[in-house]
Amino acid sequence: MAFAGFTDEAFSFYEGLQGDNSKPYWTSHKETYERHVRRPLTELCAELEEEFGAVKLFRPYRDVRFSKDKSPYKTHQGGHTGEGFYIQVDADGLLVAGGMYAPTPDQLRRYRDAVGSDVHGGELQAIVDDLRSAGMEIAGDRLKTRPRGTAPDHPRLELLRHRSLYARTGWPADPWMADPGQVVTRVRTSWRRLRPLVDWGREHIGPPDLTR
């Protein structure tokens, strides 16, 4: 089926789940989740697949084996492409992102080697600056100090501190999200803007390791 937009039920479902993250709530609202969250998100991703690749949706269940938080369900529905584009629906609305999320040690080493290069590191700095100027948030896990052996006056010290690096933007849960054309256009436009960051990572780091 063609993507028909997101209804208020998608966002109210997650508002309810935030207040009652339990199996009884999930069971009684599972049809709402399937109809108003997972199905339209699947259809939206299908609209974008030709340009950005197939999107794999994450399971809605949390892995609580090693977590102090034993809440059984995620309070968002996310999905990612093999290249590193990300999309998410939750109580707040819609979010999109792109970049390096959970690198392996080898990927992180290649990232820092590339950032340390005046050529490749300079390219990344320009990409990050452009995304920030466009209103996107630059995010990711970072060291509090600096990588071992890095000079304190390194021109790209902030980038070298990153242990993950991605840019993101989003929109609140407003009525326009029921308009499929607006949603597809905004997501496509944002992913296109994120393309230089994703491509830089693919060239210098290798395939993303997305394990959210």
Side-chain angles (χ1 to χ4, degrees):
M1 296 178 62
F3 174 59
F6 291 106
T7 64
D8 289 341
E9 285 85 349
F11 311 111
S12 62
F13 166 79
Y14 279 115
E15 288 176 355
L17 185 61
Q18 288 177 344
D20 182 10
N21 197 317
S22 68
K23 187 173 182 179
Y25 177 89
W26 181 268
T27 300
S28 63
H29 293 81
K30 187 174 181 180
E31 183 179 353
T32 300
Y33 163 76
E34 294 289 350
R35 180 178 179 183
H36 296 283
V37 177
R38 196 169 185 91
R39 182 189 302 171
L41 185 57
T42 299
E43 293 164 352
L44 169 59
C45 293
E47 296 271 358
L48 300 161
E49 181 174 345
E50 183 176 355
E51 181 173 353
F52 301 100
V55 176
K56 177 182 178 181
L57 297 187
F58 293 105
R59 290 166 54 85
Y61 313 105
R62 296 184 63 249
D63 184 352
V64 300
R65 292 174 297 173
F66 308 107
S67 174
K68 293 181 180 179
D69 180 3
K70 299 302 181 181
S71 302
Y73 305 102
K74 298 174 182 176
T75 54
H76 62 270
Q77 176 62 66
H80 69 90
T81 73
E83 291 185 336
F85 294 102
Y86 179 77
I87 188 166
Q88 174 180 301
V89 176
D90 60 19
D92 295 328
L94 186 64
L95 177 145
V96 294
M100 175 184 71
Y101 304 93
T104 64
D106 282 345
Q107 287 176 313
L108 184 57
R109 175 185 54 77
R110 291 194 295 269
Y111 166 78
R112 287 181 175 153
D113 285 347
V115 174
S117 160
D118 288 339
V119 175
H120 304 315
E123 290 173 352
L124 179 60
Q125 187 67 67
I127 291 168
V128 167
D129 291 344
D130 180 66
L131 290 172
R132 188 178 282 118
S133 297
M136 290 198 173
E137 178 188 3
I138 306 302
D141 181 39
R142 290 180 292 180
L143 295 170
K144 293 182 179 180
T145 56
R146 61 182 186 273
R148 184 177 301 174
T150 301
D153 60 348
H154 193 286
R156 290 175 297 281
L157 179 58
E158 288 306 310
L159 288 177
L160 287 168
R161 282 179 171 150
H162 276 268
R163 290 184 290 199
S164 60
L165 175 67
Y166 52 92
R168 63 189 177 192
T169 190
W171 309 274
D174 290 333
W176 67 264
M177 288 193 182
D179 182 334
Q182 287 199 56
V183 176
V184 171
T185 297
R186 293 198 190 197
V187 174
R188 177 182 288 121
T189 299
S190 296
W191 275 0
R192 284 176 176 173
R193 185 173 291 278
L194 287 161
R195 170 67 74 182
L197 179 59
V198 171
D199 286 350
W200 187 94
R202 183 173 57 179
E203 179 178 357
H204 299 293
I205 304 170
D209 181 15
L210 293 170
T211 56
R212 290 186 56 170

